Amino acid sequence: MAATPSPCDSSASASNKKWNNLRNILERDGPFCKTDFTPSPDILDFLQNTAKILVIGAGGLGCELLKDLAMMGFGDLHVIDMDTIELSNLNRQFLFRRCDIGSPKAECAARFINQRINTCSVTPYFAKIQDFDDLFYTQFHVIVCGLDSIVARRWINSMINSLVTYQEDGNVDPQSVIPLIDGGTEGFKGNVRVILPSLTACVECTLDLFPPQVTYPLCTIASKPRLPEHCVEYVKIIQWDKENPFSCALDGDDPQHISWVYEKALDRANKHNITGVTYRLVQGVVKNIIPAVASTNAAIAAACANEVFKMASNCYECMSNFMNFNDLDGIYTYTYAAEKNEECLVCSNAPQALNVGNPYTTTLDDVIHMLCDSPKYQMKNPGITTIMYGKNKTLHMSSVGSIAERTRANLTMSLYQLGLRDGQQLMVSDATSPRTITMQLKYNLVDVEMN
């Protein structure tokens, strides 16, 4: 008589069958495999027990990414997020429940995955990405981002590029390259990009792909509103503080607050013959909401997870290297190879020229405005230092109060008055990068003599 299988045997058998689809990919050769791919059962073991994957962001994309990666066999996941859970998150961030409101996203997401998928361990970090140094990021095999901030994207892009080392012949050391998979969504649109630091186009190379941030001048909001958003901003910025209807700060998650703003904005819109003020618009303006659709998040996260799997297993060629996705009218995708910018501030590995017209009339303040306003740089609050007569000299740094006050007079001085010569190097620090960027002044005048 055959022996009855024990519960442990059944559990082990079920666990083995769970990964059969992955084994079909990783343990067999195929026409689409990479030429240097060698099928082996050791690859699945690597994914489950050795590979370390960092997920940045535990919001709409992040929740999907953690679920996908855990169910694809990755056993060691880490997630960073600085936000706490709000009521408005629950319609698409499915790892959270109403009882989680107010708790850190990273910790709740990790706890949910750990409880549901016993083959995966998720380590949470309730922190900013800027809180960690290069040693922290070097421990990961692949980094995948689900961010909603351009500044954060630029920062992590600069960080992983700074980790690249070069061999004696000047070529990139492949062992120092940590792939970055970046996903982004807005409404029914999304994109995925694969970045191999210093080898392919990085975030900074294609900075002009990001849409400009929408801001409304206060003078327009207060005196000559033309758009329904102007009316909402007026109530949000001016009228709320003036009337103080609920004796507290405006809370975008409080229906009473939103209703009050909606009624006041509608009144103002009617006075100026403006149409289009809706309750939903008010919610979006008050909370600065980027439209989020769960199905778009799911599609983009799946594409990102697929690229992580290909990178970690080396079984198929990774995407080259930028994919657009649009399901507004049907489903449309398009993939193309974004070109590396040889003058990129981040990945070119060389000081970049900062072209200046006339050093006798161009002030330091003009240079700072150029760094902030130019589509090429788009910095937020740059601090500038240089080397003069063998010593470090701070020209301006507004992020430190005492230094800002001491260097304020430099802002109105011309580059000539400051003693900055053609070809002189400037060290620029900014919130968009974890490292100091070296730039080289290049004057466009033919006959400029700097004594």
Side-chain angles (χ1 to χ4, degrees):
M1 186 175 179
T4 303
S6 69
C8 291
D9 293 336
S10 300
S11 176
S13 176
S15 178
N16 287 332
K17 290 180 179 179
K18 180 178 182 180
W19 308 114
N20 278 349
N21 289 333
L22 287 181
R23 290 193 178 94
N24 289 337
I25 296 173
L26 301 176
E27 298 179 14
R28 299 191 303 189
D29 205 351
F32 300 106
C33 291
K34 293 182 66 175
T35 55
D36 60 346
F37 172 66
T38 303
S40 170
D42 294 338
I43 302 175
L44 180 58
D45 181 70
F46 170 78
L47 299 183
Q48 293 178 327
N49 301 307
T50 304
K52 296 182 72 172
I53 310 299
L54 175 64
V55 177
I56 300 179
L61 266 179
C63 286
E64 292 281 356
L65 281 167
L66 287 169
K67 176 260 295 181
D68 289 346
L69 293 171
M71 297 185 73
M72 289 179 81
F74 290 97
D76 189 4
L77 302 179
H78 297 247
V79 58
I80 301 175
D81 197 292
M82 61 177 284
D83 289 336
T84 55
I85 299 165
E86 300 179 6
L87 177 64
S88 61
N89 300 148
L90 303 185
N91 71 330
R92 63 195 181 281
Q93 298 174 22
F94 58 90
L95 298 183
F96 310 136
R97 301 294 181 266
R98 183 176 288 269
C99 61
D100 295 325
I101 292 175
S103 301
K105 287 184 178 181
E107 294 176 3
C108 290
R111 182 168 61 249
F112 192 103
I113 295 292
N114 290 336
Q115 290 173 350
R116 292 291 293 269
I117 304 177
N118 58 13
T119 57
C120 180
S121 174
V122 183
T123 303
Y125 304 91
F126 177 41
K128 300 178 182 178
I129 55 174
Q130 294 87 348
D131 293 339
F132 302 95
D133 59 14
D134 53 353
L135 292 178
F136 172 81
Y137 290 105
T138 54
Q139 67 181 300
F140 299 104
H141 293 90
V142 183
I143 298 174
V144 55
C145 296
L147 292 164
D148 58 3
S149 164
I150 295 175
V151 172
R153 277 188 174 90
R154 295 175 67 184
W155 192 93
I156 191 64
N157 172 73
S158 183
M159 168 57 78
I160 64 165
N161 272 278
S162 70
L163 301 178
V164 174
T165 58
Y166 292 82
Q167 299 170 338
E168 292 183 0
D169 58 4
N171 292 322
V172 172
D173 179 3
Q175 298 297 321
S176 66
V177 174
I178 302 175
L180 175 68
I181 316 298
D182 178 49
T185 65
E186 183 172 335
F188 291 97
K189 301 176 183 179
N191 65 77
V192 178
R193 60 164 49 182
V194 175
I195 298 170
L196 300 177
S198 294
L199 299 175
T200 64
C202 73
V203 170
E204 209 76 16
C205 288
T206 55
L207 194 57
D208 56 346
L209 291 179
F210 292 107
Q213 302 299 295
V214 178
T215 58
Y216 304 111
L218 188 59
C219 57
T220 300
I221 294 172
S223 58
K224 296 179 180 179
R226 297 185 301 274
L227 301 172
E229 290 85 355
H230 292 165
C231 300
V232 180
E233 284 285 346
Y234 177 85
V235 178
K236 172 187 173 183
I237 296 174
I238 299 175
Q239 205 163 347
W240 180 274
D241 290 337
K242 185 177 180 180
E243 299 189 21
N244 195 16
F246 295 94
S247 301
C248 63
L250 176 60
D251 183 356
D253 288 318
D254 190 323
Q256 289 183 310
H257 291 198
I258 296 296
S259 295
W260 188 90
V261 174
Y262 169 62
E263 291 172 4
K264 296 296 183 180
L266 191 60
D267 288 342
R268 183 169 177 78
N270 290 334
K271 290 178 182 177
H272 292 272
N273 297 317
I274 297 172
T275 59
V277 174
T278 64
Y279 187 87
R280 188 164 191 157
L281 175 74
V282 171
Q283 284 182 306
V285 174
V286 169
K287 298 186 65 179
N288 194 24
I289 294 173
I290 297 175
V293 178
S295 58
T296 310
N297 285 337
I300 295 301
C304 289
N306 197 37
E307 295 306 315
V308 174
F309 178 79
K310 289 190 287 185
M311 283 288 183
S313 65
N314 196 44
C315 58
Y316 296 101
E317 293 286 353
C318 62
M319 181 178 66
S320 179
N321 53 27
F322 195 106
M323 182 193 79
N324 278 318
F325 173 87
N326 188 331
D327 61 348
L328 186 61
D329 296 308
I331 296 179
Y332 170 82
T333 62
Y334 175 69
T335 304
Y336 69 95
E339 294 184 2
K340 193 173 185 293
N341 182 0
E342 298 303 327
E343 296 183 353
C344 176
L345 290 176
V346 171
C347 67
S348 63
N349 196 38
Q352 296 302 310
L354 181 62
N355 293 299
V356 175
N358 189 337
Y360 295 99
T361 58
T362 302
T363 66
L364 182 63
D365 194 44
D366 293 333
V367 172
I368 291 175
H369 278 289
M370 182 195 308
L371 294 174
C372 293
D373 299 338
S374 169
K376 180 179 179 180
Y377 306 121
Q378 296 185 37
M379 295 186 180
K380 300 302 177 182
N381 192 19
I384 304 177
T385 60
T386 188
I387 302 294
M388 282 191 172
Y389 309 110
K391 295 183 179 179
N392 186 67
K393 179 179 181 180
T394 301
L395 299 174
H396 187 65
M397 189 172 293
S398 61
S399 59
V400 181
S402 59
I403 299 178
E405 189 63 32
R406 192 174 74 245
T407 59
R408 192 180 306 279
N410 291 343
L411 293 174
T412 57
M413 297 175 66
S414 71
L415 301 186
Y416 173 78
Q417 291 173 318
L418 290 169
L420 299 175
R421 294 168 172 78
D422 185 31
Q424 186 156 350
Q425 291 189 348
L426 301 181
M427 280 65 76
V428 183
S429 59
D430 190 65
T432 58
S433 174
R435 60 177 180 172
T436 299
I437 298 170
T438 302
M439 308 183 79
Q440 195 165 26
L441 286 173
K442 183 178 180 181
Y443 297 150
N444 296 332
L445 293 180
V446 177
D447 299 315
V448 175
E449 293 184 4
M450 301 294 290
N451 298 321

